[in-house]
Amino acid sequence: MVRPWESTVASLALVASCLGLVAELAYFFEFGRYNIDEGMHLNAGRLIFSHGLLPYRDFPFSQGPGGPWFYGLLGQLFEPTLWVGRLGSLAAGLVCFGALLTFAWRCAGVVAALGVALLLTLELPALWLFTQIRTEAGSMALATLALLAFLGRRDNVLRAALPAVLLVGAPAFRLTYVVALLGVDAITGFELRSQPRKLAGFLAITGAVGLLAALPILAFPESSFFHLFAAQNTRAERLGWPMFPPVARFWFFTHPETSYRAVLLLLPLPLLRIVLDRRPGGDRERARSLLALLAAAALVYVPQLWFTLGFFQYFEHAALLLILAIGISLAAFLQPTTAPRTRALVLVWIALAWLAGARTIEPALPVWTDATEPTVDRLAPLREE
């Protein structure tokens, strides 16, 4: 347990960090660098809802079908503008951040949530992605909600299936989440192995939802395969972009713009000792949860190695899970039962890492923003060509 005065200070700091996050998101919403994917998703949504066309069959589209339907529906309800689409991504980002903070709080208390919030204020690529009309916002929001659902009771088939059902939506936006979905299905199926009726219900529910989500792809398998895999995996060669081998692509995960990761990434490692300790206790269960988070991060990260491109933003899915693991680890280190010298060293470590990350914000802003005169009218509807 955290001492009462520490809990009060941490709670106030958490509120301040959350306000800082909202302010950063607002800045990126207004000045975030434009991306070609934004026009691609908005135009695909217009073709679906205004012209009755379908992706893969009637027009090329290189991402999962969830994005065009999501942003196209927003355009129908409001207006098909960049501003409306970015608001949808911003809402998904707030859901994702809220789920991460709730998970950390429920697992390890307010200190863990504060650690996660502070790290998120430094994660400029994620802040940029959550104000862009791309696949990441929707997929990460659904994935973190699925992660949060694992903390709830799963005493009936509907609750047992909820994490997998939520996670089905993630690959509908971004197909690389299929690996994580299969992992969740395997874990849940293993847990229900001694309850055949519940297992059958779980498989029926997740199978039906998965089939519905994959229907736009399965309906046109040949063209879908070409647009989603063949064209996607050869675009670097066709467009003359630089290609990187898998080992070199790890550099994108420890980019200088997020140099604090190199310091904090080692923090969860001492908890492996707790996992190997045979004594029962909450810390051991917490460490197992951390290992599960690190495994989930790997499941989300590894599929990216299939592609010949190594764009930095591709690895933000895994980065958010690692940030969550790091926040929970910090709470374990800062318990009152920890030796005072260890707590002091960890606090200094955190402060130095955060300052190192904060120093990278100003030089990194031009990478993710365009603070010059806008080149696109955010409120202008799509033109009919």
Side-chain angles (χ1 to χ4, degrees), residues 200-286:
F202 166 77
L203 293 175
I205 293 172
T206 55
V209 175
L211 183 62
L212 181 63
L215 193 59
I217 297 175
L218 298 177
F220 317 107
E222 186 175 351
S223 58
S224 298
F225 179 85
F226 173 77
H227 293 301
L228 293 172
F229 298 101
Q232 181 81 313
N233 204 38
T234 59
R235 59 178 177 156
E237 182 179 352
R238 290 183 288 108
L239 298 175
W241 291 344
M243 295 184 291
F244 301 90
V247 175
R249 261 172 264 162
F250 184 77
W251 175 84
F252 288 92
F253 203 71
T254 55
H255 195 277
E257 291 169 16
T258 52
S259 57
Y260 63 90
R261 285 188 194 151
V263 181
L264 292 179
L265 197 58
L266 298 175
L267 282 179
L269 296 183
L271 292 184
L272 293 176
R273 181 185 59 81
I274 303 175
V275 177
L276 300 175
D277 192 345
R278 294 185 178 182
R279 292 174 298 176
D283 285 342
R284 189 180 181 191
E285 294 303 317
R286 180 184 300 161

Side-chain angles (χ1 to χ4, degrees), residues 149-157 159-164 183-196 198-200 202-203 285 292:
F150 270 107
L151 289 183
R153 291 185 302 164
R154 288 184 284 165
D155 50 0
N156 60 53
V157 67
R159 287 173 176 163
L162 181 58
V184 168
D185 286 344
I187 292 171
T188 307
F190 181 79
E191 290 178 345
L192 299 177
R193 66 189 185 281
S194 60
Q195 306 174 62
K198 188 180 289 189
L199 177 60
F202 166 77
L203 293 175
E285 294 303 317

Side-chain angles (χ1 to χ4, degrees), residues 56-67:
Y56 317 123
R57 185 192 70 176
D58 301 317
F59 62 90
F61 193 71
S62 60
Q63 306 287 351

Side-chain angles (χ1 to χ4, degrees), residues 59-83:
F59 62 90
F61 193 71
S62 60
Q63 306 287 351
W69 288 92
F70 175 69
Y71 292 110
L73 181 60
L74 286 178
Q76 291 295 302
L77 294 175
F78 303 99
E79 281 188 294
T81 64
L82 184 69
W83 192 79

Side-chain angles (χ1 to χ4, degrees), residues 344-384:
L345 288 175
V346 171
L347 286 172
V348 171
W349 195 352
I350 296 168
L352 291 176
W354 194 89
L355 288 174
R359 290 188 61 186
T360 67
I361 288 180
E362 185 176 355
L365 276 178
V367 177
W368 304 106
T369 63
D370 180 13
T372 59
E373 293 184 7
T375 56
V376 176
D377 185 353
R378 298 171 178 81
L379 298 177
L382 289 174
R383 293 193 301 257
E384 292 286 345

Side-chain angles (χ1 to χ4, degrees), residues 171 174-183 228-229 232-233 246 249 295-310 314-315 317-318:
R174 190 165 188 84
L175 291 178
T176 49
Y177 269 97
V178 168
V179 178
L181 173 62
L182 294 176
L228 293 172
F229 298 101
Q232 181 81 313
N233 204 38
R249 261 172 264 162
L299 285 175
V300 176
Y301 173 80
V302 169
Q304 300 296 340
L305 301 180
W306 169 269
F307 298 102
T308 53
L309 292 171
Y314 286 178
F315 306 114
H317 311 266

Side-chain angles (χ1 to χ4, degrees), residues 21 24 97 100 116-123 127 320 323:
L21 270 176
E24 286 180 297
F97 287 165
L100 289 173
V116 171
L118 285 173
L119 293 177
L120 289 176
T121 61
L122 301 176
E123 197 65 24
L127 296 171
L320 293 184
I323 284 175

